[in-house]
Amino acid sequence: MDTHTPMRTEAAGPDLRHHGDAEVRDDGSALVDLAVNVRADTPPAWLREHVAASLGSLAAYPDGRAARAAVAARHGLPVARVLLTAGAAEAFVLLARALKVRRPVVVHPQFTEPEAALRDAGHTVDRVLLREADGFRLDPAAVPEDADLVVIGNPTNPTSVLHPAATITELARPGRTLVVDEAFMDAVPGEREALAGRTDVPGLVVLRSLTKTWGLAGLRIGYVLAAPETIADLERAQPLWPVSTPALAAAEACVAPRALAEAAHAAHRVAADRGHLVAGLAEFTDAGVRIVAPAEGPFVLVRLPNAAAVRHRLRDLGYAVRRGDTFPGLGGEWLRLAVRDRTTTDGFLRALRRAVTAPA
């Protein structure tokens, strides 16, 4: 079967609600975390202090106007093209509920919440599965012409593939909503291939998250960039005051010039640390480890024999990694590894050597 063939799917299949945080809950809380794609040592002290300062105004209802204007200015857009959300995950729910679509298509492997949200809203979802043989790279021709909603991540979680912006924009059509999840784009040096801020692509909806780079997963803050009429539709589907005052304070701070400069520096550091991880993983070809390359996000996808057993051995050795079999288009032989500092990576690589050489 050609894996580019769109697949009409029902509820059976991979667990779309499984996420990396499950690896480090409960008995995994003491493990070294390579499962969750939140940048280590975040939020920084200045951001924690800024958020803490907002607590004095909790008696008032949240007022998102300043944060919304700050996000708009960061991307050179009018305020009417911006919607603040309780993380990018809320945006997927709003899109699924508010937009009237007939044939939604999700390009996989990718973050599973978009498909889960569409299913929960009663939609039947088609999948386009990108192929390992092609490096999980997008072929626009694989997407059905009559798809009126297409969702793709860039850089894509979990493959770490960065698709060219020009390739993604080939998916744009009159009457089609093109949703690009750029939750990890600020971890790419220079944010090359970003579509955030573009107004010339018909039907374009870009989602951004502030939880990954800034370590704000517990605060829930993200935003949508789209045409004003799309933003208005999504806003009508939101409850009143959907983003808390501390989250609004964080949003305004994280798009300020100081924060953008810090994020740019962090992106270069992540790239260097990722290079160190990839170089270390290259020493495991004798054990059958294969790396999806070039990796461009703050994580690396690898294929290896007996991945499930290796993951359990790594837990026994003190390390949590993300299983890959819950992503459509992957299977039990895949693991996703978050990029960490060199010291952490070196310890992990030593553990990995023990895990892959342990007797079955």
Side-chain angles (χ1 to χ4, degrees), residues 64-269:
R65 289 176 295 176
R68 192 173 183 178
V71 170
R74 182 256 195 268
H75 292 287
L77 294 172
V79 170
R81 282 183 167 268
V82 175
L83 182 67
L84 302 176
T85 59
E90 188 207 3
F92 291 124
V93 172
L94 295 176
L95 288 164
R97 293 178 178 175
L99 301 186
K100 295 175 174 59
V101 295
R102 292 170 287 99
R103 191 178 185 187
V105 170
V106 179
V107 180
H108 285 288
Q110 78 147 334
F111 185 51
T112 53
E113 276 302 314
E115 181 174 325
L118 286 163
R119 284 183 175 176
D120 288 347
H123 298 284
T124 299
V125 181
D126 288 349
R127 295 173 180 166
V128 169
L129 303 181
L130 304 185
R131 300 183 296 191
E132 179 189 5
D134 298 330
F136 296 109
R137 301 205 161 271
L138 172 66
D139 174 7
V143 176
E145 191 64 31
D146 63 344
D148 57 355
L149 174 69
V150 179
V151 184
I152 187 168
N154 202 36
T156 303
N157 170 24
T159 63
S160 208
V161 168
L162 182 65
H163 303 289
T167 302
I168 292 180
T169 57
E170 287 183 44
L171 295 173
R173 302 278 189 283
R176 171 185 287 178
T177 300
L178 173 58
V179 179
V180 184
D181 176 7
E182 291 189 350
F184 294 99
M185 187 60 78
D186 58 357
V188 176
E191 296 195 4
R192 65 187 193 281
E193 312 304 344
L195 290 170
R198 293 275 296 269
T199 60
D200 60 324
V201 181
L204 178 65
V205 176
V206 174
L207 276 56
R208 285 284 181 111
S209 170
L210 296 173
T211 65
K212 316 300 185 185
T213 288
W214 295 109
L216 297 173
L219 198 59
R220 312 308 306 142
I221 179 64
Y223 54 89
V224 182
L225 307 175
E229 56 271 23
T230 300
I231 295 296
D233 288 341
L234 299 179
E235 192 168 19
R236 279 192 293 271
Q238 274 187 317
L240 290 174
W241 311 291
V243 181
S244 70
T245 294
L248 292 171
E252 192 171 356
C254 289
V255 297
R258 169 188 176 174
L260 295 180
E262 184 173 323
H265 176 75
H268 286 283
R269 187 171 68 249

Side-chain angles (χ1 to χ4, degrees), residues 13-27:
D15 178 5
L16 301 181
R17 296 295 191 186
H18 180 89
H19 299 297
D21 62 317
E23 309 284 353
V24 290
R25 286 200 218 111
D26 301 327
D27 65 339

Side-chain angles (χ1 to χ4, degrees), residues 30-50:
L31 300 177
V32 178
D33 179 9
L34 278 77
V36 177
N37 291 324
V38 173
R39 182 163 64 97
D41 300 322
T42 52
W46 65 264
L47 182 54
R48 291 197 305 271
E49 293 166 3
H50 186 82

